[in-house]
Amino acid sequence: MALDVPPGVVTGENLLKLLDHAKTNGYAIPAVNVSSTSTANAVLEAAKKANAPVMIQVSQGGGAFLCGKGIEDPKGELPASAAGSVALALHVRAVAAYYGVPVVMHSDHCAKKLLPWFDKMLEADEAYYKKFGEPLFSSHMLDLSEEPDDENIEICAKYFAKMAKIDLFLEMEIGITGGEEDGVNNEDVDPEKLYTTPEQVWAVYEALSKIGPGFSIAAAFGNVHGVYKPGNVVLSPEKLGKHQAYAASKLGLAAGSKPIYLVMHGGSGSTDEEIALAVTNGVCKMNIDTDTQWAYWDGLRAYELKHRPSLCRAELPLMNRGAAAAATRIVRED
């Protein structure tokens, strides 16, 4: 099955084509968290070298970092988080097509307390749609898994109805991914909540499918955010197959059908076999964050160590703080 999707940022029907291609051909698209244009470019370069589609995603904290530590980002408003996230999306929009592969521009976990960030990105999407006929981002994630299921689904349906009008894809989470990410700490959560049931997944599918086809579900199957060695996290990817089978039976589809776009979070520490089984069961997006953060930092560390003599000169400040101070002095002198 050929991938009939153009290079650059994809949205709407082209995004659905891409996800269907992944599900049909048994692969998951890597979704890599970035917090700068340089990390985004690194992901795009890797995708080009692999000649494969990729997803670039930004978290609320990543957006705030990209906007700059000197900008206040008060809780309940989060203007810097939104501005940085929008800036990243505009950058990816400007350069993605040059890398020759389909690119999905996505925003990561948005808990209820972070909805002001989500709302501001959605405003940017609507403005972009009015001008160009498609949203700025390809998709956004709502993570209301800390809320009761009914409230989670109700809020997701409300937002999805608005998003579907401008061809925006929605990712939602039901069941809880363990560990800690972006200030949401689930390290001490009830272990039973780390495993979503087929009935929970079906409740989401039943509500959202009435609005449109452009949504995916991050169903928990024991996955945990953070750094873990393979074998130290107890995953049950076979549960994902049960979600598909339950939904297929409800829809009257043939055995083996996979009607749901599933997402895998907390992949660090997963074995190759566990990932393969998750993909076989319909996972078409796999989040990558901790591993690539480490690789990026370790690359910088190795480069600095190798080139330290030439870098450690007073006139070449290495840190943003030093660069900002130097710029301030120059402005004052002028």
Side-chain angles (χ1 to χ4, degrees):
M1 178 181 176
L3 179 54
D4 182 26
V5 177
V9 174
V10 296
T11 62
E13 287 298 321
N14 281 327
L15 177 53
L16 293 179
K17 284 182 184 179
L18 178 60
L19 295 177
D20 285 334
H21 187 272
K23 196 162 54 167
T24 301
N25 290 274
Y27 67 92
I29 303 168
V32 186
N33 282 71
V34 305
S35 56
S36 66
T37 55
S38 61
T39 48
N41 289 350
V43 174
L44 290 168
E45 182 179 342
K48 181 184 178 187
K49 288 178 178 178
N51 191 29
V54 73
M55 299 188 180
I56 291 178
Q57 56 189 26
V58 61
S59 66
Q60 175 264 324
F65 178 84
L66 197 144
C67 187
K69 292 293 187 178
I71 306 300
E72 292 186 3
D73 200 30
K75 294 179 181 179
E77 299 177 29
L78 302 174
S81 299
S85 301
V86 168
L88 179 69
L90 289 168
H91 168 76
V92 173
R93 277 275 182 187
V95 304
Y98 292 101
Y99 288 84
V101 295
V103 177
V104 179
M105 185 63 228
H106 179 72
S107 66
D108 203 6
H109 293 266
C110 178
K112 191 174 182 180
K113 65 183 179 181
L114 302 180
L115 284 175
W117 167 57
F118 194 99
D119 290 335
K120 289 179 175 63
M121 289 189 293
L122 196 53
E123 288 174 5
D125 284 311
E126 290 171 334
Y128 198 91
Y129 186 88
K130 287 180 181 178
K131 191 171 183 179
F132 299 105
E134 64 177 350
L136 174 61
F137 287 79
S138 309
S139 56
H140 295 293
M141 181 187 184
L142 284 172
D143 179 3
L144 305 171
S145 56
E146 292 183 310
E147 314 306 324
D149 284 1
D150 288 347
E151 182 179 0
N152 181 353
I153 295 171
E154 180 183 355
I155 295 175
C156 284
K158 173 186 172 183
Y159 273 97
F160 186 41
K162 191 174 183 179
M163 294 167 68
K165 294 177 182 178
I166 57 171
D167 292 332
L168 263 175
F169 191 94
L170 172 68
E171 176 186 336
M172 68 83 67
E173 181 164 337
I174 191 158
I176 293 176
T177 301
E180 189 276 336
E181 181 175 62
D182 233 25
V184 177
N185 194 320
N186 292 323
E187 292 176 317
D188 298 319
V189 73
D190 181 351
E192 289 188 4
K193 293 184 178 180
L194 297 177
Y195 299 94
T196 309
T197 66
E199 290 79 9
Q200 287 177 293
V201 173
W202 171 249
V204 174
Y205 186 92
E206 189 175 30
L208 298 187
S209 62
K210 295 174 182 177
I211 300 169
F215 66 93
S216 61
I217 302 174
F221 56 101
N223 30 342
V224 179
H225 290 130
V227 184
Y228 301 88
K229 292 181 179 180
N232 284 10
V233 176
V234 181
L235 292 181
S236 298
E238 70 279 0
K239 291 181 180 293
L240 301 177
K242 294 178 181 179
H243 302 333
Q244 299 282 18
Y246 188 86
S249 67
K250 287 286 189 178
L251 295 167
L253 302 176
S257 297
K258 291 178 280 191
I260 307 169
Y261 298 121
L262 292 174
V263 177
M264 181 174 178
H265 288 244
S268 299
S270 307
T271 65
D272 290 346
E273 292 76 17
E274 288 168 335
I275 294 172
L277 182 55
V279 171
T280 297
N281 287 327
V283 165
C284 52
K285 171 181 181 275
M286 181 173 173
N287 284 17
I288 305 170
D289 187 2
T290 307
D291 291 339
T292 45
Q293 282 187 39
W294 180 270
Y296 190 79
W297 171 86
D298 195 43
L300 290 173
R301 181 203 59 78
Y303 184 90
E304 188 275 336
L305 183 63
K306 181 178 179 181
H307 299 280
R308 182 172 294 175
S310 61
L311 291 171
C312 289
R313 299 206 309 269
E315 66 270 23
L316 292 176
L318 300 178
M319 302 298 291
N320 281 342
R321 189 180 301 276
T328 301
R329 288 196 301 272
I330 292 170
V331 170
R332 287 174 178 171
E333 288 171 2
D334 288 347

